[in-house]
């Protein structure tokens, strides 16, 4: 099934019927994260979001991260998210320049 994030319409064409998604943001919250960690099993992918509030490591070399959200999704949903996010970042870099990140 193909997703169109801009219109909210989904469908593959052919014999399948397409549907329109109504986005209900009534219970939505907004959080900030500058740290993400991901782990997965055969059945699910887990994304952990948090905030690093310190700019330097502690005396013991550790960085403290406050975890705020955990998102659990199927591998199929994670793959669709990867495809959509890749497209969004490609468009961003076309407009604003290439993002250079540390791959550690």
């Amino acid at each position: 099934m193909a997703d169109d994030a801009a219109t909210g319409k989904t469908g593959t064409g052919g014999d399948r019927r397409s549907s329109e998604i109504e986005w209900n943001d009534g219970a939505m919250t907004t959080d900030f994260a500058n740290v993400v960690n991901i782990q997965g099993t055969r059945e699910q992918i887990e994304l952990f979001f948090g905030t690093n509030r310190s700019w330097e490591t502690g005396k013991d070399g550790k960085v403290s991260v406050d975890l705020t959200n955990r998102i659990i999704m199927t591998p199929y949903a994670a793959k669709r998210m990867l495809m959509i996010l890749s497209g969004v970042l490609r468009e961003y870099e076309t407009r604003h320049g290439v993002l250079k990140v540390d791959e550690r």
Side-chain angles (χ1 to χ4, degrees), residues 3-68:
D3 293 340
D4 186 338
T7 64
K9 293 185 179 180
T10 63
T12 58
D15 292 345
R16 294 187 181 231
R17 297 197 302 165
S18 50
S19 58
E20 187 171 332
I21 297 173
E22 180 180 332
W23 299 99
N24 180 355
D25 62 356
M28 184 174 68
T29 62
T30 301
D31 295 305
F32 172 81
N34 60 9
V35 176
V36 63
N37 192 10
I38 302 171
Q39 67 184 25
T41 66
R42 179 183 167 108
E43 292 82 21
Q44 66 189 34
I45 306 294
E46 297 180 25
L47 293 86
F48 298 88
F49 295 96
T51 306
N52 172 13
R53 298 184 187 275
S54 62
W55 293 103
E56 298 179 18
T57 59
K59 293 179 183 176
D60 57 1
K62 293 184 180 180
V63 174
S64 178
V65 175
D66 298 330
L67 291 177
T68 55

Side-chain angles (χ1 to χ4, degrees), residues 3 45 47 71-84:
D3 293 340
I45 306 294
L47 293 86
I71 305 295
I72 301 172
M73 61 180 65
T74 67
Y76 291 100
K79 181 87 178 230
R80 288 191 300 270
M81 185 176 94
L82 171 67
M83 293 167 49
I84 293 167

